[in-house]
Each structure stands twice: as C-alpha cells, then as structure tokens.
Amino acid sequence: MSDKVLNVLFLCTGNSARSILGEAILNRDGAGRFRAYSAGSNPTGKVNPWAIHTLETLGYPVEGYRSKSWNEFENGPEFDLIFTVCDSAAAETCPVWPGHPTSAHWGIPDPAAVEGSDAEKAAAFLDAFRMLKRRIDLMLALPMASLEEFALREKLQAIGREADQA
C-alpha cells in the first residue's frame, strides 16, 4: 500500500444503516487518507432515519447519503479496501466484490432489524456505530503504507473478529 488516498467500500445488503454509518465515520475520521463509499446488494432505496439521527447526534455530516446498488461502482472508482458489514449470524446475503481489493468481513448486527421503542432503536444504532467506530479507529492506527497485502488482510480480518472483545 502506498501513501495515496485509499478508496474504501462498505457493503451490506440494504445499504440503509451499517454501511452508511461506516462510510460516514471513515470519511470524517480518515479524511485525507481514505475516501469511503457504501453500497448494497439489494438496496432498500432509502437511508434509515435512525442512521441519520445517530450520525447527526454524534456530530457527523448527514448530507448526501443515499441507499444505492453496488452495481453503481462496476466502472469505478477502483477500490483498495472492501468491508462487508452484514451480520452473517443473521443469515443475511452478503455481496461478493469482484476484483482484487483487500477485503475483510466486519459483521455488525443489523440495527434496522430491531423492533421496539424509540429508545431501543436508538440504542441499537448507537451500538452499531460504536462497533464500526472502534474497528475504523483500529484500522486508522495501522501503518497502511508499510503493510504488504497479505499482512493487511490478516490485520483487517482480526479487527473484525476482535475489536469488540476489548
């Protein structure tokens, strides 16, 4: 990996919550080093209002996010990193991205699936945000420019497995 700005794609099924949160966190916290995008294999067509509420509450920009298909990115930009954030334990269908970007699975429980009170929904979105923020913070601390692709892939996979055990 070089010192260039790295393009990162967060993938999920609906592109309405988790992948949007990841895009927002990395674009703000990794500005100048990373450019994040998000997409879904079966987009809902709208961003979940709780995702917007969570970002706004925590001081992150909320403009310009939309639920979109991963097909929009077939012709670019070229991605350096791809993160699937679907929770495999929930038996969701996670997209597989063609090509050779470094990829890792960072499964996050789907906050949009939580039913109940507004307080329960808000808590689920805050939990998803917290998990993604922790993983992104760990990634931002990696010496990206000096890691070989295999070592980077291993470290990113480990972040997905271990970040929330700390």
Side-chain angles (χ1 to χ4, degrees):
M1 296 271 142
S2 69
D3 289 332
K4 71 173 185 133
V5 173
L6 300 179
N7 288 322
V8 178
L9 181 61
F10 288 91
L11 289 176
C12 203
T13 305
N15 189 221
S16 70
R18 296 167 285 187
S19 51
I20 297 287
L21 294 173
E23 177 185 7
I25 295 166
L26 186 56
N27 274 333
R28 191 188 87 175
D29 297 355
R33 294 176 54 204
F34 296 91
R35 174 69 181 115
Y37 302 85
S38 68
S41 61
N42 188 23
T44 64
K46 62 180 182 173
V47 175
N48 188 296
W50 284 102
I52 298 298
H53 172 77
T54 301
L55 291 170
E56 194 169 51
T57 299
L58 297 171
Y60 282 76
V62 296
E63 297 300 318
Y65 295 107
R66 63 185 180 86
S67 177
K68 60 203 156 298
S69 172
W70 63 325
N71 293 332
E72 286 192 28
F73 297 109
E74 287 178 337
N75 296 315
E78 184 174 319
F79 291 105
D80 301 289
L81 304 171
I82 303 228
F83 296 102
T84 54
V85 293
C86 304
D87 183 18
S88 58
E92 294 180 38
T93 302
C94 291
V96 176
W97 193 257
H100 300 287
T102 300
S103 62
H105 178 68
W106 286 358
I108 304 287
D110 186 2
V114 171
E115 296 181 9
S117 68
D118 283 354
E120 291 167 317
K121 292 175 185 176
F125 274 86
L126 283 171
D127 284 346
F129 179 94
R130 178 191 55 79
M131 286 184 247
L132 284 161
K133 173 89 167 110
R134 171 89 171 123
R135 293 170 188 193
I136 289 168
D137 286 347
L138 289 168
M139 182 190 73
L140 291 173
L142 292 174
M144 301 293 277
S146 65
L147 289 173
E148 295 296 325
E149 184 177 343
F150 179 77
L152 177 60
R153 183 183 320 272
E154 289 299 310
K155 289 186 180 301
L156 294 175
Q157 290 285 9
I159 287 171
R161 288 189 303 270
E162 302 167 10
D164 297 313
Q165 296 176 10

